[in-house]
Amino acid sequence: QVQLVESGGGSVQVGGSLRLSCAASGPWRSQWFWGWFRQAPGKEREGVADMTTTGNTMYADAVKGRFTISRDRGVDMDTLYLEMTNLKPEDAAMYYCAVDWGTYEPRLSVDAFRYWGQGTQVTVSS
C-alpha cells in the first residue's frame, strides 16, 4: 500500500523560501517515478517538478532555476523534497506529491500518476 504524506508548507513573503517534504512508503519504491504538483483555487492541477527512476529531473518553466526536487532513500521509507526559493505570489497553491511505476509519459502529467498525498498549503504574501 502506497502512503504519501506531505509537510513543510506554510506562509512566506515574496522572495522567501520553503522546503516541502513527502514521506513515502510502499512496495517497489526503487521503480517509482516521482512528482510534485500544485493546484491554486480555480485552476487545474499542474506539474511542478518530477524525478524518474534513474534520477532524471524535469521542471515546469515557471519554476526553473528556483525549485529543486530531490530524494533521500531509506530502508522502509523514502523522502521526496521540493526546495523552493525566490517564491512569487503565483507560487501560492496546494502542493501535492505523487508517485507511480511503469511507463511514465508524458512527463509532469497529472494523468501519469495514480498515487497522491493529501497536500500541503503554500501561501506567498507581498
Side-chain angles (χ1 to χ4, degrees), residues 70-106:
S70 62
R71 181 193 63 213
D72 283 343
R73 291 189 181 275
V75 176
D76 298 316
M77 185 180 70
D78 291 355
T79 304
L80 186 72
Y81 300 100
L82 186 68
E83 190 78 37
M84 306 186 295
T85 64
N86 190 22
L87 283 161
K88 304 176 180 181
E90 53 264 39
D91 295 320
M94 185 72 80
Y95 282 72
Y96 301 89
C97 71
V99 301
D100 211 319
W101 54 86
T103 301
Y104 177 31
E105 59 181 28

Side-chain angles (χ1 to χ4, degrees), residues 2 15 20 23 53 56 63 69 75 77 85 91 93 105 107 111 122:
V2 175
L20 306 184
T53 54
N56 181 266
V63 306
I69 187 172
V75 176
M77 185 180 70
T85 64
D91 295 320
E105 59 181 28
R107 295 186 65 170
D111 293 337
V122 172

Side-chain angles (χ1 to χ4, degrees), residues 16-34:
S17 300
L18 279 175
R19 188 176 78 159
L20 306 184
S21 300
C22 174
S25 60
W28 311 308
R29 294 196 315 278
S30 64
Q31 301 176 37
W32 289 3
F33 51 87
W34 305 73

